[in-house]
Every structure is written in structure tokens, then in C-alpha cells.
Amino acid sequence: NAGVTQTPKFQVLKTGQSMTLQCAQDMNHEYMSWYRQDPGMGLRLIHYSVGAGITDQGEVPNGYNVSRSTTEDFPLRLLSAAPSQTSVYFCASSLPGQGFYGYTFGSGTRLTVV
Amino acid sequence: AQSVAQPEDQVNVAEGNPLTVKCTYSVSGNPYLFWYVQYPNRGLQFLLKYITGDNLVKGSYGFEAEFNKSQTSFHLKKPSALVSDSALYFCAVRDGAGNNRKLIWGLGTSLAVNP
């Protein structure tokens, strides 16, 4: 049971480049989400999904796209990277059903945009 | 509006002493409350939660938290701190009404346990 797997762990992009941050979970979690973590700003929600085919915006969605074609995968796309997107990105998922018992987090992707 | 406050950016405590990391919240319904820990260069790890029931919740690594409805607080505690407890601690709340899975996060408190 791998939990939540994020790849890559580190990435350096040039301004204007595009890339996809990968997130996969093997726990059959319906809910998946992407956060960015910046010093002094805590965790901010970028996008989330309550199930395959359903996505919605969080607090800071601009510059990011997501899709959810399967229960397992929830990739985050940066279409044209900007220095303001330099951050640590975390993917998180949670158990299905009406109960809510907290998230399982991936180990993060540290992204630098130069 | 829902919110979470962690009033201390940093807490310093000597090894062996008790520690407290504070959290206060504001939600419209009954709160679901969580504490997570983040070690350097790692993802967040779940410590404990309060959904309902006993106000004193026990979690991982010897941590516990006390839910106080009248003070809208959920402070994290440990009777005897270890150097290995040094990390960043996040409090989070979810409004218990409905099926909303979104958590509202505090900004984090950095705990330093000195040998």
C-alpha cells in the first residue's frame, strides 16, 4: 500500500514552460486535492475533486489546471510557469463516504521557477 | 466565516517539559478538528482528530488535544517533550455540516524542543 505518491520530488522550470505534477493514490479515496505551501502562508487549496470526472477550484486556482479521469490519479498542470508559482506542492486524499477522518498527504513536489 | 488561528508562530520548550501548541477555531456548525505534523522536507502526517465524544483526544507519538467548546479551542499537548518532536504543527477544522470535505488550515506553529 503506497498511499499517496507524488512525482517528481524536485523540479526547476523556466518561466513560460509547462509541466504536470503527478499524484496517484491506491486507497480508493474519492476526494483528492492539491495544496501549495509557502512560508508564512500555510497551506492554500488550489483545486480539488470529489470523484472521477468532478473537479472544482480552491482558493488559488489561477495558473493551474486539473482533471480527474480515474479515481487513482489527479494531475496538476502548470500551463505557463511563473516565478510566483515557486512553492512546495502537496497532494492529499481522503476516505470515501459521508464520514471524514482526515487527509493522507503525499511527500510533496518542490518546484522552482526561474 | 470559518477560520483557524494558531496564535504562536514558534514555541520553544526544553526536553522533558510539557508542551502546548495552541489552536482556536470558528465554524458555523459542529467542528471536526485535526492536528497534523510536518517534519523537515516531508509531507504532513495526521496526529489526531476530534469529531465527537470525549473532549480529550489521544493521538500518535504521545500527543493529545483537548476540545473546549466554550473557548472554541483545540490545543495540542504532550506531557514530556522530545527533541524529535521538533517540527511544524498545523491545526485544521472542517465544518461538520454537509458533505464538504474541505479543511480550513492554520498557518502553522514551529515547535523547537531544546536538549
Side-chain angles (χ1 to χ4, degrees), chain B residues 103-114:
Chain B
L103 291 181
I104 307 299
W105 295 86
L107 295 183
T109 298
S110 179
L111 173 67
V113 181
N114 307 306

Side-chain angles (χ1 to χ4, degrees), chain B residues 10 17 20-21 29 32-33 38 41 47 49 57 74 81 87 97 107:
Chain B
Q10 180 151 349
N17 283 1
T20 298
V21 182
Y32 290 14
L33 293 154
Q38 184 180 28
N41 300 313
L47 271 181
K49 67 181 184 295
V57 178
F74 190 57
L107 295 183

Side-chain angles (χ1 to χ4, degrees), chain A:
Chain A
N1 188 341
V4 178
T5 302
Q6 288 185 240
T7 56
K9 292 189 183 301
F10 302 94
Q11 183 71 48
V12 178
L13 287 180
K14 293 182 179 179
T15 298
Q17 285 185 318
S18 62
M19 79 160 295
T20 299
L21 280 63
Q22 301 291 345
C23 176
Q25 53 87 11
D26 60 359
M27 298 171 285
N28 198 31
H29 284 181
E30 289 179 345
Y31 183 90
M32 297 184 74
S33 56
W34 277 102
Y35 287 92
R36 59 178 290 173
Q37 183 180 30
D38 302 291
M41 304 192 76
L43 290 167
R44 293 184 290 170
L45 182 64
I46 304 172
H47 286 285
Y48 66 98
S49 169
V50 298
I54 306 169
T55 63
D56 206 346
Q57 296 180 350
E59 303 170 64
V60 288
N62 292 340
Y64 307 95
N65 282 349
V66 292
S67 60
R68 184 94 179 270
S69 57
T70 67
T71 299
E72 293 78 18
D73 300 299
F74 190 45
L76 179 71
R77 298 184 185 85
L78 285 70
L79 298 179
S80 179
S84 61
Q85 294 178 305
T86 293
S87 187
V88 181
Y89 292 85
F90 289 102
C91 180
S93 68
S94 72
L95 289 166
Q98 292 297 320
F100 182 73
Y101 299 99
Y103 294 153
T104 300
F105 279 84
S107 57
T109 295
R110 186 174 295 273
L111 176 67
T112 302
V113 182
V114 298

Side-chain angles (χ1 to χ4, degrees), chain B residues 37 39 42 45-47 58-64 77-80 82 84-85 89:
Chain B
V37 59
Y39 298 102
R42 303 288 297 276
Q45 298 177 32
F46 171 81
L47 271 181
K58 294 189 183 298
S60 306
Y61 312 122
F63 283 93
E64 58 189 27
K77 300 181 180 182
K78 187 173 183 181
S80 179
L82 300 173
S84 58
D85 292 329
Y89 291 80

Side-chain angles (χ1 to χ4, degrees), chain B residues 34-76:
Chain B
F34 303 85
W35 276 102
Y36 286 80
V37 59
Q38 184 180 28
Y39 298 102
N41 300 313
R42 303 288 297 276
L44 280 73
Q45 298 177 32
F46 171 81
L47 271 181
L48 51 81
K49 67 181 184 295
Y50 172 84
I51 304 296
T52 186
D54 194 345
N55 289 345
L56 185 63
V57 178
K58 294 189 183 298
S60 306
Y61 312 122
F63 283 93
E64 58 189 27
E66 186 170 10
F67 171 64
N68 188 317
K69 188 173 183 178
S70 63
Q71 297 186 4
T72 61
S73 67
F74 190 57
H75 301 331
L76 181 70

